[in-house]
Amino acid sequence: EVQLVESGGGLVQPGGSLRLSCAASGFTFSTYGMNWVRQAPGKGLEWVSYISSSSRTIFYADSVKGRFTISRDNAKNSLYLQMNSLRDEDTAAYYCARDLGAVAGTVILDYWGQSTLVTVSS
Amino acid sequence: SYELTQPPSVSVSPGQTASITCSGDKLGDKYACWYQQKPGQSPELVIYQHIKRPSGIPERFSGSKSGDTATLTISGTQAMDEADYYCQAWDSNTAVFGGGTKLTVL
C-alpha cells in the first residue's frame, strides 16, 4: 500500500525557516517524481514544487521560487521541502504527492499524503 | 500565467447526472486531470489524461474533452460524491489547478 507521511510543520514567525519531510513507503520511491502541493485554510489547491526521480529536474511555482528548496534522499525514501523567508501567505496545509509518471511532460498526482500544517504568524 | 476556470458550485439531485467544466487556453492540447476532496481529507485523483479512471474509482465518474474545455461527469450521483472537485493541467513546467467546484447533492 502506498503511504506518504508528512512531518515538520508548525508555527514559525515571518522571515523564519522550516523544513518539511515526507516519508514514502509501499512503492519504489526512487523511480517516481514527487511534488509538494499546499492549501491555505478554506482555499483551493496550489502546486509548490516538483522533483524528478533522479533529482535532475526541479520546478517551482513563482510564488516560492528563490525561497523554497525541494530535495529527496532515495536511500531514505524521503522527500523534503526547505522553506526560508516565510511569509504570512505561506500559511497552509502542505501535501506531498507522487507523480503517476504516465505521460512525459506532464504531472499527474496519483497519491497524496495527509498533510502537515505550516502557520506563519508573529 | 496559465489559468483554469471552473464554476464555483454545482448542485445535483441524488441519482441525477452532475457535470463540472474546466476551461483554459489550449487545454485541448494538454492533459487534464480531476481530483476529489472531501471535507477534512486529502485530494484523490478521479480522472487523468482527460478520460482515464484510476483503479478503485467508481465507473460513474467519467471525463471528456471538447475543444479547450474538460468536463467531469458523475452519473447517478450519490450523497457520498458531495465534495470539492479540482481540475489540473501542466503548463510551462508548472502544475496549475482550477479554483475548485463545490458539488452539492441535495
PDB file of all heavy atoms in Angstrom, chain B residues 22-52:
ATOM      1  N   CYS B  22     -14.172  22.666 -16.904  1.00  0.00           N
ATOM      2  CA  CYS B  22     -12.871  23.280 -16.644  1.00  0.00           C
ATOM      3  C   CYS B  22     -12.356  23.801 -17.980  1.00  0.00           C
ATOM      4  O   CYS B  22     -12.201  23.018 -18.928  1.00  0.00           O
ATOM      5  CB  CYS B  22     -11.921  22.242 -16.063  1.00  0.00           C
ATOM      6  SG  CYS B  22     -10.204  22.771 -15.877  1.00  0.00           S
ATOM      7  N   SER B  23     -12.123  25.091 -18.069  1.00  0.00           N
ATOM      8  CA  SER B  23     -11.686  25.656 -19.337  1.00  0.00           C
ATOM      9  C   SER B  23     -10.367  26.410 -19.172  1.00  0.00           C
ATOM     10  O   SER B  23     -10.099  27.000 -18.126  1.00  0.00           O
ATOM     11  CB  SER B  23     -12.754  26.580 -19.913  1.00  0.00           C
ATOM     12  OG  SER B  23     -13.015  27.641 -19.021  1.00  0.00           O
ATOM     13  N   GLY B  24      -9.572  26.352 -20.233  1.00  0.00           N
ATOM     14  CA  GLY B  24      -8.291  27.053 -20.222  1.00  0.00           C
ATOM     15  C   GLY B  24      -7.764  27.174 -21.631  1.00  0.00           C
ATOM     16  O   GLY B  24      -8.106  26.364 -22.509  1.00  0.00           O
ATOM     17  N   ASP B  25      -6.907  28.155 -21.832  1.00  0.00           N
ATOM     18  CA  ASP B  25      -6.338  28.380 -23.148  1.00  0.00           C
ATOM     19  C   ASP B  25      -5.573  27.149 -23.636  1.00  0.00           C
ATOM     20  O   ASP B  25      -4.696  26.634 -22.940  1.00  0.00           O
ATOM     21  CB  ASP B  25      -5.406  29.586 -23.090  1.00  0.00           C
ATOM     22  CG  ASP B  25      -4.869  29.970 -24.455  1.00  0.00           C
ATOM     23  OD1 ASP B  25      -5.649  29.982 -25.415  1.00  0.00           O
ATOM     24  OD2 ASP B  25      -3.651  30.242 -24.558  1.00  0.00           O
ATOM     25  N   LYS B  26      -5.935  26.640 -24.789  1.00  0.00           N
ATOM     26  CA  LYS B  26      -5.284  25.467 -25.382  1.00  0.00           C
ATOM     27  C   LYS B  26      -5.289  24.247 -24.440  1.00  0.00           C
ATOM     28  O   LYS B  26      -4.386  23.406 -24.502  1.00  0.00           O
ATOM     29  CB  LYS B  26      -3.852  25.784 -25.811  1.00  0.00           C
ATOM     30  CG  LYS B  26      -3.779  26.800 -26.946  1.00  0.00           C
ATOM     31  CD  LYS B  26      -2.359  26.994 -27.425  1.00  0.00           C
ATOM     32  CE  LYS B  26      -2.260  27.865 -28.653  1.00  0.00           C
ATOM     33  NZ  LYS B  26      -2.774  29.241 -28.467  1.00  0.00           N
ATOM     34  N   LEU B  27      -6.314  24.159 -23.586  1.00  0.00           N
ATOM     35  CA  LEU B  27      -6.400  23.000 -22.698  1.00  0.00           C
ATOM     36  C   LEU B  27      -6.549  21.711 -23.507  1.00  0.00           C
ATOM     37  O   LEU B  27      -6.118  20.650 -23.085  1.00  0.00           O
ATOM     38  CB  LEU B  27      -7.584  23.161 -21.729  1.00  0.00           C
ATOM     39  CG  LEU B  27      -7.795  22.026 -20.706  1.00  0.00           C
ATOM     40  CD1 LEU B  27      -6.548  21.860 -19.836  1.00  0.00           C
ATOM     41  CD2 LEU B  27      -9.011  22.295 -19.847  1.00  0.00           C
ATOM     42  N   GLY B  28      -7.139  21.829 -24.681  1.00  0.00           N
ATOM     43  CA  GLY B  28      -7.294  20.657 -25.525  1.00  0.00           C
ATOM     44  C   GLY B  28      -5.967  20.045 -25.955  1.00  0.00           C
ATOM     45  O   GLY B  28      -5.911  18.865 -26.315  1.00  0.00           O
ATOM     46  N   ASP B  29      -4.894  20.833 -25.899  1.00  0.00           N
ATOM     47  CA  ASP B  29      -3.562  20.343 -26.271  1.00  0.00           C
ATOM     48  C   ASP B  29      -2.800  19.795 -25.076  1.00  0.00           C
ATOM     49  O   ASP B  29      -1.674  19.320 -25.222  1.00  0.00           O
ATOM     50  CB  ASP B  29      -2.737  21.466 -26.897  1.00  0.00           C
ATOM     51  CG  ASP B  29      -3.341  21.981 -28.193  1.00  0.00           C
ATOM     52  OD1 ASP B  29      -4.081  21.212 -28.843  1.00  0.00           O
ATOM     53  OD2 ASP B  29      -3.091  23.156 -28.535  1.00  0.00           O
ATOM     54  N   LYS B  30      -3.396  19.885 -23.902  1.00  0.00           N
ATOM     55  CA  LYS B  30      -2.735  19.410 -22.688  1.00  0.00           C
ATOM     56  C   LYS B  30      -3.535  18.232 -22.124  1.00  0.00           C
ATOM     57  O   LYS B  30      -4.592  17.874 -22.647  1.00  0.00           O
ATOM     58  CB  LYS B  30      -2.687  20.552 -21.653  1.00  0.00           C
ATOM     59  CG  LYS B  30      -2.114  21.853 -22.194  1.00  0.00           C
ATOM     60  CD  LYS B  30      -2.141  22.938 -21.131  1.00  0.00           C
ATOM     61  CE  LYS B  30      -1.880  24.321 -21.731  1.00  0.00           C
ATOM     62  NZ  LYS B  30      -0.596  24.404 -22.437  1.00  0.00           N
ATOM     63  N   TYR B  31      -3.038  17.655 -21.035  1.00  0.00           N
ATOM     64  CA  TYR B  31      -3.750  16.580 -20.354  1.00  0.00           C
ATOM     65  C   TYR B  31      -4.377  17.131 -19.078  1.00  0.00           C
ATOM     66  O   TYR B  31      -3.675  17.629 -18.214  1.00  0.00           O
ATOM     67  CB  TYR B  31      -2.807  15.435 -19.997  1.00  0.00           C
ATOM     68  CG  TYR B  31      -2.373  14.612 -21.179  1.00  0.00           C
ATOM     69  CD1 TYR B  31      -1.057  14.639 -21.618  1.00  0.00           C
ATOM     70  CD2 TYR B  31      -3.284  13.805 -21.861  1.00  0.00           C
ATOM     71  CE1 TYR B  31      -0.667  13.883 -22.703  1.00  0.00           C
ATOM     72  CE2 TYR B  31      -2.890  13.039 -22.941  1.00  0.00           C
ATOM     73  CZ  TYR B  31      -1.577  13.090 -23.363  1.00  0.00           C
ATOM     74  OH  TYR B  31      -1.188  12.341 -24.440  1.00  0.00           O
ATOM     75  N   ALA B  32      -5.689  17.013 -18.970  1.00  0.00           N
ATOM     76  CA  ALA B  32      -6.380  17.469 -17.767  1.00  0.00           C
ATOM     77  C   ALA B  32      -6.640  16.300 -16.835  1.00  0.00           C
ATOM     78  O   ALA B  32      -6.885  15.171 -17.280  1.00  0.00           O
ATOM     79  CB  ALA B  32      -7.707  18.131 -18.140  1.00  0.00           C
ATOM     80  N   CYS B  33      -6.565  16.550 -15.540  1.00  0.00           N
ATOM     81  CA  CYS B  33      -6.995  15.558 -14.574  1.00  0.00           C
ATOM     82  C   CYS B  33      -7.916  16.213 -13.555  1.00  0.00           C
ATOM     83  O   CYS B  33      -8.018  17.439 -13.492  1.00  0.00           O
ATOM     84  CB  CYS B  33      -5.847  14.827 -13.884  1.00  0.00           C
ATOM     85  SG  CYS B  33      -4.331  15.676 -13.721  1.00  0.00           S
ATOM     86  N   TRP B  34      -8.570  15.368 -12.810  1.00  0.00           N
ATOM     87  CA  TRP B  34      -9.566  15.806 -11.837  1.00  0.00           C
ATOM     88  C   TRP B  34      -9.310  15.143 -10.489  1.00  0.00           C
ATOM     89  O   TRP B  34      -8.991  13.943 -10.418  1.00  0.00           O
ATOM     90  CB  TRP B  34     -10.974  15.432 -12.300  1.00  0.00           C
ATOM     91  CG  TRP B  34     -11.446  16.181 -13.496  1.00  0.00           C
ATOM     92  CD1 TRP B  34     -11.310  15.812 -14.805  1.00  0.00           C
ATOM     93  CD2 TRP B  34     -12.153  17.426 -13.503  1.00  0.00           C
ATOM     94  NE1 TRP B  34     -11.879  16.764 -15.625  1.00  0.00           N
ATOM     95  CE2 TRP B  34     -12.406  17.754 -14.850  1.00  0.00           C
ATOM     96  CE3 TRP B  34     -12.602  18.290 -12.495  1.00  0.00           C
ATOM     97  CZ2 TRP B  34     -13.088  18.926 -15.218  1.00  0.00           C
ATOM     98  CZ3 TRP B  34     -13.272  19.433 -12.866  1.00  0.00           C
ATOM     99  CH2 TRP B  34     -13.517  19.751 -14.215  1.00  0.00           C
ATOM    100  N   TYR B  35      -9.472  15.955  -9.432  1.00  0.00           N
ATOM    101  CA  TYR B  35      -9.302  15.469  -8.071  1.00  0.00           C
ATOM    102  C   TYR B  35     -10.566  15.740  -7.277  1.00  0.00           C
ATOM    103  O   TYR B  35     -11.202  16.775  -7.442  1.00  0.00           O
ATOM    104  CB  TYR B  35      -8.113  16.152  -7.388  1.00  0.00           C
ATOM    105  CG  TYR B  35      -6.815  15.998  -8.130  1.00  0.00           C
ATOM    106  CD1 TYR B  35      -6.426  16.928  -9.078  1.00  0.00           C
ATOM    107  CD2 TYR B  35      -5.994  14.900  -7.913  1.00  0.00           C
ATOM    108  CE1 TYR B  35      -5.246  16.783  -9.799  1.00  0.00           C
ATOM    109  CE2 TYR B  35      -4.805  14.745  -8.615  1.00  0.00           C
ATOM    110  CZ  TYR B  35      -4.451  15.685  -9.557  1.00  0.00           C
ATOM    111  OH  TYR B  35      -3.281  15.535 -10.263  1.00  0.00           O
ATOM    112  N   GLN B  36     -10.882  14.799  -6.398  1.00  0.00           N
ATOM    113  CA  GLN B  36     -11.994  14.958  -5.466  1.00  0.00           C
ATOM    114  C   GLN B  36     -11.424  15.183  -4.074  1.00  0.00           C
ATOM    115  O   GLN B  36     -10.502  14.470  -3.658  1.00  0.00           O
ATOM    116  CB  GLN B  36     -12.846  13.680  -5.454  1.00  0.00           C
ATOM    117  CG  GLN B  36     -13.980  13.678  -4.447  1.00  0.00           C
ATOM    118  CD  GLN B  36     -14.558  12.292  -4.242  1.00  0.00           C
ATOM    119  OE1 GLN B  36     -13.898  11.401  -3.714  1.00  0.00           O
ATOM    120  NE2 GLN B  36     -15.798  12.091  -4.673  1.00  0.00           N
ATOM    121  N   GLN B  37     -11.945  16.173  -3.363  1.00  0.00           N
ATOM    122  CA  GLN B  37     -11.512  16.399  -1.996  1.00  0.00           C
ATOM    123  C   GLN B  37     -12.732  16.545  -1.096  1.00  0.00           C
ATOM    124  O   GLN B  37     -13.485  17.514  -1.225  1.00  0.00           O
ATOM    125  CB  GLN B  37     -10.615  17.636  -1.870  1.00  0.00           C
ATOM    126  CG  GLN B  37     -10.037  17.798  -0.468  1.00  0.00           C
ATOM    127  CD  GLN B  37      -9.126  19.001  -0.340  1.00  0.00           C
ATOM    128  OE1 GLN B  37      -9.322  20.027  -0.985  1.00  0.00           O
ATOM    129  NE2 GLN B  37      -8.104  18.879   0.509  1.00  0.00           N
ATOM    130  N   LYS B  38     -12.902  15.592  -0.208  1.00  0.00           N
ATOM    131  CA  LYS B  38     -13.981  15.667   0.778  1.00  0.00           C
ATOM    132  C   LYS B  38     -13.488  16.434   1.993  1.00  0.00           C
ATOM    133  O   LYS B  38     -12.281  16.511   2.237  1.00  0.00           O
ATOM    134  CB  LYS B  38     -14.437  14.257   1.146  1.00  0.00           C
ATOM    135  CG  LYS B  38     -15.028  13.507  -0.039  1.00  0.00           C
ATOM    136  CD  LYS B  38     -15.489  12.109   0.334  1.00  0.00           C
ATOM    137  CE  LYS B  38     -16.093  11.411  -0.877  1.00  0.00           C
ATOM    138  NZ  LYS B  38     -16.546  10.037  -0.564  1.00  0.00           N
ATOM    139  N   PRO B  39     -14.404  17.026   2.753  1.00  0.00           N
ATOM    140  CA  PRO B  39     -14.009  17.842   3.912  1.00  0.00           C
ATOM    141  C   PRO B  39     -13.085  17.087   4.863  1.00  0.00           C
ATOM    142  O   PRO B  39     -13.362  15.954   5.252  1.00  0.00           O
ATOM    143  CB  PRO B  39     -15.351  18.160   4.573  1.00  0.00           C
ATOM    144  CG  PRO B  39     -16.335  18.116   3.455  1.00  0.00           C
ATOM    145  CD  PRO B  39     -15.866  17.021   2.556  1.00  0.00           C
ATOM    146  N   GLY B  40     -11.978  17.725   5.192  1.00  0.00           N
ATOM    147  CA  GLY B  40     -11.026  17.161   6.130  1.00  0.00           C
ATOM    148  C   GLY B  40     -10.160  16.047   5.571  1.00  0.00           C
ATOM    149  O   GLY B  40      -9.404  15.418   6.318  1.00  0.00           O
ATOM    150  N   GLN B  41     -10.255  15.790   4.270  1.00  0.00           N
ATOM    151  CA  GLN B  41      -9.475  14.713   3.663  1.00  0.00           C
ATOM    152  C   GLN B  41      -8.508  15.254   2.610  1.00  0.00           C
ATOM    153  O   GLN B  41      -8.622  16.393   2.160  1.00  0.00           O
ATOM    154  CB  GLN B  41     -10.407  13.677   3.027  1.00  0.00           C
ATOM    155  CG  GLN B  41     -11.297  12.959   4.019  1.00  0.00           C
ATOM    156  CD  GLN B  41     -12.111  11.860   3.368  1.00  0.00           C
ATOM    157  OE1 GLN B  41     -11.795  11.376   2.269  1.00  0.00           O
ATOM    158  NE2 GLN B  41     -13.169  11.430   4.039  1.00  0.00           N
ATOM    159  N   SER B  42      -7.575  14.403   2.219  1.00  0.00           N
ATOM    160  CA  SER B  42      -6.641  14.747   1.155  1.00  0.00           C
ATOM    161  C   SER B  42      -7.325  14.591  -0.201  1.00  0.00           C
ATOM    162  O   SER B  42      -8.275  13.807  -0.333  1.00  0.00           O
ATOM    163  CB  SER B  42      -5.417  13.827   1.214  1.00  0.00           C
ATOM    164  OG  SER B  42      -4.787  13.916   2.473  1.00  0.00           O
ATOM    165  N   PRO B  43      -6.844  15.316  -1.201  1.00  0.00           N
ATOM    166  CA  PRO B  43      -7.401  15.125  -2.550  1.00  0.00           C
ATOM    167  C   PRO B  43      -7.155  13.706  -3.049  1.00  0.00           C
ATOM    168  O   PRO B  43      -6.191  13.050  -2.649  1.00  0.00           O
ATOM    169  CB  PRO B  43      -6.616  16.142  -3.388  1.00  0.00           C
ATOM    170  CG  PRO B  43      -6.146  17.160  -2.405  1.00  0.00           C
ATOM    171  CD  PRO B  43      -5.851  16.392  -1.154  1.00  0.00           C
ATOM    172  N   GLU B  44      -8.024  13.251  -3.939  1.00  0.00           N
ATOM    173  CA  GLU B  44      -7.896  11.930  -4.553  1.00  0.00           C
ATOM    174  C   GLU B  44      -8.078  12.081  -6.058  1.00  0.00           C
ATOM    175  O   GLU B  44      -9.016  12.745  -6.517  1.00  0.00           O
ATOM    176  CB  GLU B  44      -8.953  10.976  -3.997  1.00  0.00           C
ATOM    177  CG  GLU B  44      -8.893   9.571  -4.589  1.00  0.00           C
ATOM    178  CD  GLU B  44      -9.936   8.637  -4.019  1.00  0.00           C
ATOM    179  OE1 GLU B  44     -10.928   9.116  -3.435  1.00  0.00           O
ATOM    180  OE2 GLU B  44      -9.780   7.410  -4.180  1.00  0.00           O
ATOM    181  N   LEU B  45      -7.183  11.466  -6.812  1.00  0.00           N
ATOM    182  CA  LEU B  45      -7.274  11.502  -8.274  1.00  0.00           C
ATOM    183  C   LEU B  45      -8.460  10.658  -8.733  1.00  0.00           C
ATOM    184  O   LEU B  45      -8.568   9.488  -8.364  1.00  0.00           O
ATOM    185  CB  LEU B  45      -5.972  10.951  -8.872  1.00  0.00           C
ATOM    186  CG  LEU B  45      -5.865  10.886 -10.391  1.00  0.00           C
ATOM    187  CD1 LEU B  45      -5.793  12.296 -10.990  1.00  0.00           C
ATOM    188  CD2 LEU B  45      -4.638  10.064 -10.808  1.00  0.00           C
ATOM    189  N   VAL B  46      -9.346  11.265  -9.555  1.00  0.00           N
ATOM    190  CA  VAL B  46     -10.505  10.510 -10.045  1.00  0.00           C
ATOM    191  C   VAL B  46     -10.490  10.331 -11.570  1.00  0.00           C
ATOM    192  O   VAL B  46     -11.069   9.378 -12.087  1.00  0.00           O
ATOM    193  CB  VAL B  46     -11.840  11.128  -9.585  1.00  0.00           C
ATOM    194  CG1 VAL B  46     -12.008  11.005  -8.082  1.00  0.00           C
ATOM    195  CG2 VAL B  46     -11.985  12.578 -10.025  1.00  0.00           C
ATOM    196  N   ILE B  47      -9.835  11.258 -12.274  1.00  0.00           N
ATOM    197  CA  ILE B  47      -9.716  11.166 -13.732  1.00  0.00           C
ATOM    198  C   ILE B  47      -8.367  11.745 -14.128  1.00  0.00           C
ATOM    199  O   ILE B  47      -7.950  12.771 -13.571  1.00  0.00           O
ATOM    200  CB  ILE B  47     -10.838  11.962 -14.451  1.00  0.00           C
ATOM    201  CG1 ILE B  47     -12.213  11.335 -14.209  1.00  0.00           C
ATOM    202  CG2 ILE B  47     -10.552  12.064 -15.970  1.00  0.00           C
ATOM    203  CD1 ILE B  47     -12.442  10.002 -14.901  1.00  0.00           C
ATOM    204  N   TYR B  48      -7.665  11.096 -15.073  1.00  0.00           N
ATOM    205  CA  TYR B  48      -6.436  11.668 -15.603  1.00  0.00           C
ATOM    206  C   TYR B  48      -6.393  11.484 -17.112  1.00  0.00           C
ATOM    207  O   TYR B  48      -7.139  10.671 -17.672  1.00  0.00           O
ATOM    208  CB  TYR B  48      -5.208  11.080 -14.919  1.00  0.00           C
ATOM    209  CG  TYR B  48      -4.964   9.614 -15.164  1.00  0.00           C
ATOM    210  CD1 TYR B  48      -4.020   9.188 -16.086  1.00  0.00           C
ATOM    211  CD2 TYR B  48      -5.655   8.648 -14.430  1.00  0.00           C
ATOM    212  CE1 TYR B  48      -3.780   7.846 -16.301  1.00  0.00           C
ATOM    213  CE2 TYR B  48      -5.417   7.302 -14.635  1.00  0.00           C
ATOM    214  CZ  TYR B  48      -4.474   6.901 -15.574  1.00  0.00           C
ATOM    215  OH  TYR B  48      -4.239   5.567 -15.771  1.00  0.00           O
ATOM    216  N   GLN B  49      -5.508  12.242 -17.744  1.00  0.00           N
ATOM    217  CA  GLN B  49      -5.422  12.256 -19.211  1.00  0.00           C
ATOM    218  C   GLN B  49      -6.820  12.408 -19.828  1.00  0.00           C
ATOM    219  O   GLN B  49      -7.174  11.712 -20.791  1.00  0.00           O
ATOM    220  CB  GLN B  49      -4.733  10.982 -19.717  1.00  0.00           C
ATOM    221  CG  GLN B  49      -3.242  10.972 -19.386  1.00  0.00           C
ATOM    222  CD  GLN B  49      -2.550   9.711 -19.858  1.00  0.00           C
ATOM    223  OE1 GLN B  49      -2.090   8.926 -19.034  1.00  0.00           O
ATOM    224  NE2 GLN B  49      -2.471   9.517 -21.165  1.00  0.00           N
ATOM    225  N   HIS B  50      -7.568  13.313 -19.287  1.00  0.00           N
ATOM    226  CA  HIS B  50      -8.917  13.691 -19.718  1.00  0.00           C
ATOM    227  C   HIS B  50      -9.974  12.617 -19.467  1.00  0.00           C
ATOM    228  O   HIS B  50     -11.089  12.930 -19.059  1.00  0.00           O
ATOM    229  CB  HIS B  50      -8.938  14.053 -21.210  1.00  0.00           C
ATOM    230  CG  HIS B  50      -8.324  15.375 -21.531  1.00  0.00           C
ATOM    231  ND1 HIS B  50      -8.849  16.577 -21.093  1.00  0.00           N
ATOM    232  CD2 HIS B  50      -7.226  15.692 -22.238  1.00  0.00           C
ATOM    233  CE1 HIS B  50      -8.083  17.568 -21.523  1.00  0.00           C
ATOM    234  NE2 HIS B  50      -7.087  17.062 -22.226  1.00  0.00           N
ATOM    235  N   ILE B  51      -9.662  11.331 -19.710  1.00  0.00           N
ATOM    236  CA  ILE B  51     -10.717  10.325 -19.734  1.00  0.00           C
ATOM    237  C   ILE B  51     -10.412   9.059 -18.940  1.00  0.00           C
ATOM    238  O   ILE B  51     -11.281   8.211 -18.776  1.00  0.00           O
ATOM    239  CB  ILE B  51     -11.042   9.911 -21.189  1.00  0.00           C
ATOM    240  CG1 ILE B  51      -9.790   9.317 -21.851  1.00  0.00           C
ATOM    241  CG2 ILE B  51     -11.545  11.110 -22.003  1.00  0.00           C
ATOM    242  CD1 ILE B  51     -10.070   8.712 -23.212  1.00  0.00           C
ATOM    243  N   LYS B  52      -9.181   8.912 -18.435  1.00  0.00           N
ATOM    244  CA  LYS B  52      -8.811   7.662 -17.774  1.00  0.00           C
ATOM    245  C   LYS B  52      -9.186   7.690 -16.292  1.00  0.00           C
ATOM    246  O   LYS B  52      -9.076   8.724 -15.626  1.00  0.00           O
ATOM    247  CB  LYS B  52      -7.309   7.399 -17.933  1.00  0.00           C
ATOM    248  CG  LYS B  52      -6.896   7.161 -19.373  1.00  0.00           C
ATOM    249  CD  LYS B  52      -5.426   6.842 -19.477  1.00  0.00           C
ATOM    250  CE  LYS B  52      -5.049   6.563 -20.932  1.00  0.00           C
ATOM    251  NZ  LYS B  52      -3.608   6.221 -21.067  1.00  0.00           N
TER     252      LYS B  52
END
